[in-house]
Amino acid sequence: ALDSKPRAVFRRLRRALGFTMFEAIAAITTNSGFKEKFLGTGFLYHDKQHLITAKHVIIGAESGIQALFPYTKSIHPVTSLATHDELDIAILRLGPNISNHKTELENKFFSQIVPSREIGEDIVSHGYPEDIDISNNGIPTFRTFKGNIQRRFLRKNCSHSSNYKAYELSFQCPSGLSGAPVIRRNNQTELVGLVTENISVGKDLIKEEDGYLYKGYISYGVALDLMTVTEWLTAAINSE
């Protein structure tokens, strides 16, 4: 069930962050609900019928996928989808609302993809990372991640994608945030990237006389540069 609590949370976040695109961000699950199988995050692009997410979020669950929008308390089944042959991105087409709540999606969707203008640029990501203890009627908590673009790089040897142009993010991207948008912080209608994975690297530093082994760790989120897939997105939408 989608109760009124998430909407109250969004109203408070809207006032605090000045962000008006909550309605465009969805939690993706199977039709058995969050308690059975929560998949990840997605966001509306181009119109109210198309949702972008990471391909690995929906692989293995091509049927019975649905998008839940807690702000409007609407549930939309996925009627068709297109996945990129090489990169970790998919676009889903949504059907009509099947929730008991008949509130329709508001006219909120992302339509502008831009490059990150500089290293260190302020960015933000919003989504539904998995909770250790899911409360609120089984809905993962909507969370905001703020940080910077650390660098541009070619991501190689990825298990679920060919090599791709990527952004290193200054924050970690936990499970469930895959498929979330990365947005320019000073203009939160402009898309920069798509959260695809989190990288953690550990290195042995020193072994003290007391026998303890100390490690240095670095962990950061990675986002696909959406400028590299604009033509594919347009073709995928127009081919339906």
Side-chain angles (χ1 to χ4, degrees), residues 55-208:
K55 180 168 67 174
H56 76 265
V57 167
I58 51 90
I59 290 298
E62 285 86 351
S63 62
I65 307 169
Q66 58 188 19
L68 288 82
F69 296 86
Y71 186 87
T72 52
K73 298 182 285 187
S74 58
I75 302 172
H76 294 258
V78 172
T79 58
S80 62
L81 59 86
T83 58
H84 197 286
D85 290 339
E86 299 180 349
L87 303 179
D88 190 13
I89 185 171
I91 189 160
L92 318 179
R93 183 170 180 83
L94 306 181
N97 181 19
I98 59 173
S99 168
N100 292 330
H101 300 279
K102 297 307 177 184
T103 304
E104 294 301 320
L105 292 175
E106 298 183 19
N107 194 34
K108 297 285 187 180
F109 52 85
F110 294 97
S111 60
Q112 190 173 5
I113 295 174
V114 299
S116 175
R117 296 180 179 175
E118 59 185 13
I119 303 302
E121 180 177 16
D122 292 338
I123 47 93
V124 63
S125 185
H126 305 279
Y128 294 90
E130 291 186 26
D131 290 342
I132 295 175
D133 179 22
I134 293 179
S135 56
N136 194 23
N137 292 325
I139 301 173
T141 303
F142 184 91
R143 298 185 187 276
T144 294
F145 297 79
K146 294 185 288 185
N148 311 95
I149 298 292
Q150 297 288 82
R151 62 175 173 134
R152 301 182 184 94
F153 70 108
L154 182 65
R155 174 68 171 114
K156 298 180 179 180
N157 304 318
C158 180
S159 61
H160 46 260
S161 174
S162 298
N163 297 347
Y164 65 95
K165 292 182 179 180
Y167 295 114
E168 177 186 326
L169 312 178
S170 63
F171 50 83
Q172 297 182 43
C173 293
S175 177
L177 195 64
S178 291
V182 177
I183 314 159
R184 296 185 67 222
R185 191 171 175 184
N186 63 355
N187 188 338
Q188 294 193 38
T189 64
E190 294 184 342
L191 292 165
V192 171
L194 169 74
V195 173
T196 51
E197 59 182 316
N198 195 77
I199 294 177
S200 296
V201 180
K203 183 178 180 180
D204 294 345
L205 294 180
I206 189 169
K207 189 172 183 180
E208 298 286 359

